[in-house]
Amino acid sequence: MKLNIGSSRTLLLIAAGIMLLLTTTGAMAQRRRVVVVHPARHPVAARHALVVRTGHPIHRLLPREVVVRPARRAVVVRAPLRYLPALTWRATFVTLPPRERIVWQDTETITRDEEWVDTNYGVDGNGNALFLHLEGTAQLNFAEVPYENGNVQVVDFNEESHGAGTYKILDVGGGGEHVMTVRVLAKSESDDAKLSVYLSK
């Protein structure tokens, strides 16, 4: 059967219309499938007044409010607390002792949105040195290390910023002491910062 020119043109127009319709529908379907992903924001915990006990050896103006991270392991210091003179910290990169000399470790992650975070680690162990491994960048304020006998050693980080690496916080006594807890006041300057504390023998 022969088709005249008008019929051919009609068929071509119909085919072109169908192709256009299919292309438009496909593009619209693709547009509907596009999902816009926004960076996740960490929920910011409630802030509390910073608590420092009478006799605390750092006398500069400290942050008024902080996010408090309680220790995952509760440790009670029964002896009366006595603050030793604060140690001024010198930031020096070190290497962690071999794994067999690490007697305790714990990690806390803080975020930029939280600002100053009062991180607490329950240790309850004997050792001779404390180390901090930092991933990210953080401003460090001070560390507080109560011993079993009630003495509390404060290490003054002087609110300075430090980058990723491993640092020695302090040597713990001459022959080793029983460390009860470690408290670190820090503020993340990267999206988040991971603070890992180690006690070695």
Side-chain angles (χ1 to χ4, degrees):
M1 183 176 73
K2 275 187 169 182
L3 289 174
N4 61 33
I5 294 184
S7 299
S8 297
R9 282 187 187 149
T10 303
L11 286 174
L12 283 172
L13 284 173
I14 290 170
I18 290 170
M19 289 298 293
L20 182 62
L21 182 62
L22 288 173
T23 305
T24 307
T25 305
M28 287 174 64
Q30 283 181 341
R31 273 199 292 273
R32 280 198 297 270
R33 283 196 294 270
V34 172
V35 178
V36 178
V37 178
H38 297 286
R41 289 181 61 83
H42 300 279
V44 177
R47 291 184 172 84
H48 302 275
L50 177 67
V51 175
V52 288
R53 295 179 180 87
T54 304
H56 196 279
I58 295 179
H59 302 295
R60 68 171 173 271
L61 189 63
L62 294 170
R64 231 176 52 170
E65 292 188 328
V66 295
V67 171
V68 177
R69 293 283 179 82
R72 281 184 277 272
R73 178 186 184 188
V75 177
V76 179
V77 184
R78 304 198 191 287
L81 297 179
R82 298 174 299 276
Y83 284 102
L84 303 172
L87 295 176
T88 302
W89 192 60
R90 299 278 182 269
T92 306
F93 289 113
V94 298
T95 303
L96 272 177
R99 182 165 293 280
E100 59 269 20
R101 286 184 50 204
I102 302 294
V103 295
W104 171 91
Q105 68 182 80
D106 198 0
T107 299
E108 193 68 71
T109 300
I110 64 176
T111 67
R112 191 200 305 269
D113 292 344
E114 293 176 299
E115 299 182 359
W116 286 106
V117 180
D118 189 353
T119 58
N120 294 271
Y121 304 84
V123 184
D124 199 10
N126 282 78
N128 57 22
L130 282 164
F131 298 87
L132 171 68
H133 179 74
L134 177 61
E135 293 179 28
T137 303
Q139 190 176 355
L140 304 177
N141 201 310
F142 67 80
E144 211 175 88
V145 183
Y147 300 133
E148 188 177 34
N149 62 10
N151 287 340
V152 182
Q153 184 62 72
V154 173
V155 179
D156 189 359
F157 298 129
N158 204 29
E159 298 186 15
E160 293 179 355
S161 298
H162 300 281
T166 303
Y167 307 87
K168 182 182 279 189
I169 299 176
L170 81 156
D171 289 311
V172 180
E177 292 276 1
H178 192 92
V179 175
M180 301 304 288
T181 63
V182 176
R183 176 190 190 189
V184 179
L185 185 61
K187 178 164 69 170
S188 179
E189 293 184 330
S190 42
D191 287 340
D192 52 46
K194 187 183 288 186
L195 287 77
S196 300
V197 178
Y198 298 82
L199 176 66
S200 73
K201 61 182 180 181

